[in-house]
């Protein structure tokens, strides 16, 4: 493997957003040694979990070669870049690397504004959840100018194993939203199937095992149902509120492109209603399966191992 000096293409990275995903991503970036890393989070305690310096964004932005954002929404990205003035503080030639799940339309507009200041914009949202953020095996969808993408590639490779250039700025965020829409469709569809089978008298655990060796399997059945749904823990690390935000972004893309999406719209409506009906603050997105099952009077976690078919 090449030395850090060989792969180092940025002198200083300001990483903002040390949440469920951001903290392990920043830890992997620090461990890779491909940059001088400075971090910031609204919760100062999170920065203290890393063995790298923390800094004030307004001061550090002027010294950063890359401003890396891993925050919950486009509104926060816009607030940081425009409201707090970080875009104006970046030097010409710097790169904004937005790894958040942002709205593509917002990203396109921000990229234009950045270009007007000589700043390049790369959107690089991730998929894989908290588990792969910890192991550094995220899938990263990257939109932006090819040269700028190559400049940040060593950073991306420290956090992910699949890095795919998707097109111009905004394309990465569009693909991330659409990916999350398909993921939600799989989660909701599996919930309806397992609930129907449970009411018939089948054991949801047996159903899951059979589905995962059959044509009905999907990411949700293979990765989410046993550890987070049938266990009753509902703690995958991705909030239902954030999923609903991404799903609405995906539906907006469909509307903007004139694409009919009857299946997707039904799932988005269900997820939004589940969010409204769920009292737990910060509820995990896997509670969508619990909500769907509860509509039929079924508790999949309680039913696992108990059902007997007629």
């Amino acid at each position: 493997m090449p030395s850090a000096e060989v792969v180092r293409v940025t002198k200083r990275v300001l990483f903002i957003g040390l949440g469920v995903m951001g903290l392990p991503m920043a830890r992997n970036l620090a461990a890779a040694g491909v940059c001088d890393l400075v971090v910031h989070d609204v919760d100062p305690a999170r920065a203290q979990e890393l063995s790298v310096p923390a800094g004030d964004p307004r001061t550090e932005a002027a010294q950063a070669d890359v401003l890396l954002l891993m925050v919950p929404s486009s509104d926060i990205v816009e607030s940081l870049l425009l409201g707090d003035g970080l875009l104006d503080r970046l030097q010409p030639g710097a790169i904004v690397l937005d790894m958040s799940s942002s709205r593509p339309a917002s990203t396109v507009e921000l990229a234009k504004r950045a270009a007007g200041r000589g700043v390049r914009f790369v959107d690089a949202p991730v998929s894989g959840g908290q588990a792969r953020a910890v192991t550094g095996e995220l899938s990263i969808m990257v939109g932006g100018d090819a040269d700028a993408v190559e400049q940040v590639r060593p950073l991306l490779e420290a956090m992910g194993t699949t890095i795919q250039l998707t097109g111009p700025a905004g394309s990465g965020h569009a693909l991330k939203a659409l990916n999350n829409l398909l993921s939600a469709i799989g989660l909701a569809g599996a919930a309806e199937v397992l609930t129907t089978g449970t009411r018939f008298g089948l054991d949801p655990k047996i159903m899951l095992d059979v589905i995962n060796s059959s044509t009905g399997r999907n990411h949700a059945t293979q990765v989410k149902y046993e550890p987070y749904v049938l266990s009753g823990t509902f703690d995958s690390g991705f909030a239902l509120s954030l999923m609903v935000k991404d799903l609405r972004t995906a539906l907006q893309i469909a509307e903007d492109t004139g694409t009919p999406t009857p299946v997707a719209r039904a799932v988005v409506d269900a997820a939004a209603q589940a969010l409204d009906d769920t009292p737990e603050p910060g509820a995990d997105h896997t509670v969508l399966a619990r909500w769907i099952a509860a509509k039929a009077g079924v508790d999949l976690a309680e039913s696992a191992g108990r059902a007997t078919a007629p």
Side-chain angles (χ1 to χ4, degrees), residues 40-233:
H40 174 78
D41 192 84
V42 291
D43 180 0
R46 290 187 175 273
Q48 294 174 6
E49 297 186 40
L50 298 169
S51 57
V52 297
D56 178 78
R58 293 177 180 83
T59 301
E60 294 295 337
Q63 307 174 52
D65 297 289
V66 174
L67 171 59
L68 194 162
L69 305 175
M70 188 59 183
V71 296
S73 69
S74 280
D75 290 342
I76 298 176
V77 171
E78 293 172 2
S79 177
L80 288 167
L81 292 178
L82 305 179
D84 292 348
L86 298 190
L87 181 57
D88 289 337
R89 293 174 183 268
L90 292 170
Q91 298 298 315
I95 298 173
V96 175
L97 178 57
D98 182 12
M99 302 190 75
S100 318
S101 294
S102 300
R103 296 188 306 273
S106 173
T107 300
V108 170
E109 181 60 31
L110 287 173
K112 290 178 181 177
R113 297 186 66 157
R117 298 201 67 261
V119 173
R120 293 168 292 176
F121 201 106
V122 174
D123 54 310
V126 304
S127 181
Q130 184 182 24
R132 289 193 178 182
V134 171
T135 61
E137 297 177 297
L138 291 167
S139 173
I140 307 178
M141 297 149 263
V142 191
D145 175 78
D147 179 68
V149 172
E150 288 307 306
Q151 290 292 307
V152 299
R153 184 175 290 275
L155 308 179
L156 302 177
E157 289 177 343
M159 297 176 281
T161 51
T162 302
I163 299 164
Q164 180 65 56
L165 183 59
T166 57
S171 62
H173 283 144
L175 185 51
K176 170 60 186 294
L178 293 170
N179 173 77
N180 280 13
L181 175 59
L182 185 56
S183 178
I185 290 171
L187 177 68
E192 291 190 351
V193 166
L194 293 177
T195 300
T196 300
T198 298
R199 285 178 63 90
F200 178 78
L202 292 168
D203 183 332
K205 176 61 172 65
I206 293 175
M207 279 191 287
L208 189 64
D209 290 342
V210 172
I211 288 168
N212 282 336
S213 62
S214 304
T215 57
R217 66 185 181 275
N218 62 39
H219 182 266
T221 64
Q222 292 179 311
V223 175
K224 297 178 182 179
Y225 266 84
E226 186 160 0
Y228 307 123
V229 178
L230 298 191
S231 68
T233 60

